Amino acid sequence: MTASPGGPWRGGSAPSVGVVICTRGDRSEWLREAVQGVLAQDYAGACEVVVVADGVDVRVVEDQVAGLPVRVLPNRLSPGLPGARNTGIAACGSDLVAFCDDDDVWLPGKLTAQVAAMDAGAWFASCGIEVEYGGRVVPRQAGTETVTAADLVRSRMVMVHSSTFLFRRGVIWVDESAPGGQNEDWDLALRAAKSRPIACADRPLVRVRWGGSHYASRWSDRIAGLEWMLARHPELTGDSRGAARIYGQLAFAHAALRRRRAAARWAARTWAARPAEPRALLALAVAAGLLPASAVLSLLHQRGRGI
């Protein structure tokens, strides 16, 4: 899809922003914090918040955000996060759309910094994050002001996180075919970057909480999501480092499911692509019963990293 230019904006005024927050209704305290983080932004343009209730009664979510100036809508598209996000995008009448997960928090200055980063002509923006897990907070930054498709092929770049996404409304939509909602955000960012590099306000402007993730240990869905990405984006296998990372993740997921032969096959493919990739060893250790997958994830998360 052809992208619209990022700016300048109409009459030089700040673009309006519609913020989409999807929820299952099971993290009410964090949901309120997510909404409050958006409402606390010192941003010159108009900003509206749309909360999409996915698989939960709208009235439950309305009670959770009572007293806050938000719209609460049911997910009117396919069940799950991709459909809920597209429901929110469709409900916005703003120039730009942003996402925030219901367990994350925008930090002061997030929107202003990102809109400024888009002034050079970008239509999609991200920013740095800080990862909160187990009482620790670890900053993760991109080290660049632009993120290219090649960057996202070589590395998933965790700081290009869905809660940082800000983009022109109507230019791009979430792919609802993502299995179990896995990797829909990586796919969205990669498709955007193929059109034009992503602008990055490269300082921590979103706090991402990993402890409450719905996705971290859904191993079958993670396998399906990675295979989906490989099928949709064949270039992912063209970079040896990026391919080894994905193969290592597949090895680890199979190991976590006690599928030793599959884990060994993917570990072998990992080493063939990049002998130094550590995920292969971790996968084999989990497959052999030397380490539990949950312990490996916890240790990595404490350092602001994932498998």
Side-chain angles (χ1 to χ4, degrees):
M1 184 179 294
T2 302
S4 301
W9 308 104
R10 294 191 302 266
S13 60
S16 57
V17 180
V19 184
V20 177
I21 302 177
C22 304
T23 186
R24 295 180 178 179
D26 56 352
R27 301 193 284 212
S28 58
E29 187 172 328
W30 283 355
L31 172 61
R32 287 189 70 87
E33 289 185 30
V35 173
Q36 289 165 342
V38 172
L39 297 176
Q41 291 292 303
D42 182 13
Y43 178 63
C47 185
E48 65 169 335
V49 181
V50 176
V51 177
V52 181
D54 179 35
V56 61
D57 193 310
V58 167
R59 292 170 294 183
V60 172
V61 178
E62 288 175 337
D63 287 343
Q64 293 174 350
V65 294
L68 298 175
V70 304
R71 280 194 292 157
V72 180
L73 306 172
N75 179 6
R76 297 190 174 102
L77 299 172
S78 59
L81 185 56
R85 283 183 167 156
N86 281 340
T87 293
I89 295 172
C92 291
S94 52
D95 298 312
L96 303 175
V97 173
F99 294 157
C100 184
D101 289 355
D102 67 348
D103 57 340
D104 295 337
V105 180
W106 286 5
L107 302 179
K110 189 258 190 193
L111 275 183
T112 299
Q114 286 188 292
V115 171
M118 296 172 75
D119 272 349
W123 62 268
F124 196 109
S126 182
C127 64
I129 64 173
E130 53 184 37
V131 176
E132 178 184 308
Y133 181 83
R136 297 186 63 186
V137 176
V138 180
R140 295 295 306 274
Q141 293 165 250
T144 180
E145 294 182 351
T146 57
V147 175
T148 67
D151 293 329
L152 289 168
V153 166
R154 189 171 183 80
S155 169
R156 169 60 185 87
M157 300 190 72
V158 69
M159 70 293 301
V160 184
H161 185 279
S162 56
S163 290
T164 75
F165 289 0
L166 177 69
F167 54 93
R168 280 273 192 176
R169 182 177 63 86
V171 176
I172 196 167
W173 297 81
V174 181
D175 193 314
E176 296 180 35
S177 70
Q182 290 280 345
N183 292 320
E184 47 80 27
D185 50 352
W186 182 19
D187 168 73
L188 189 75
L190 186 51
R191 284 188 286 126
K194 287 178 182 180
S195 169
R196 186 174 297 182
I198 294 171
C200 181
D202 197 28
R203 63 182 189 271
L205 293 170
V206 177
R207 177 166 291 187
V208 175
R209 291 172 166 142
W210 275 0
S213 173
H214 290 303
Y215 295 95
S217 57
R218 285 165 45 183
W219 299 113
S220 293
D221 284 347
R222 293 187 73 169
I223 291 168
L226 289 169
E227 292 176 342
W228 179 76
M229 285 295 292
L230 289 172
R232 283 177 58 78
H233 303 282
E235 68 273 19
L236 289 172
T237 62
D239 182 287
S240 60
R241 191 182 190 97
R245 177 181 58 82
I246 295 171
Y247 298 158
Q249 289 173 328
L250 284 164
F252 190 90
H254 281 288
L257 291 171
R258 302 176 186 269
R259 300 173 181 170
R260 294 184 179 182
R261 290 184 179 178
R265 286 197 301 271
W266 282 109
R269 290 191 67 177
T270 303
W271 277 323
R274 181 174 177 253
E277 173 55 57
R279 289 174 178 84
L281 278 176
L282 290 173
L284 292 179
V286 169
L290 301 177
L291 291 171
S294 58
V296 175
L297 284 185
S298 179
L299 186 62
L300 290 171
H301 289 173
Q302 288 174 27
R303 288 158 174 75
R305 299 184 178 276
I307 193 62

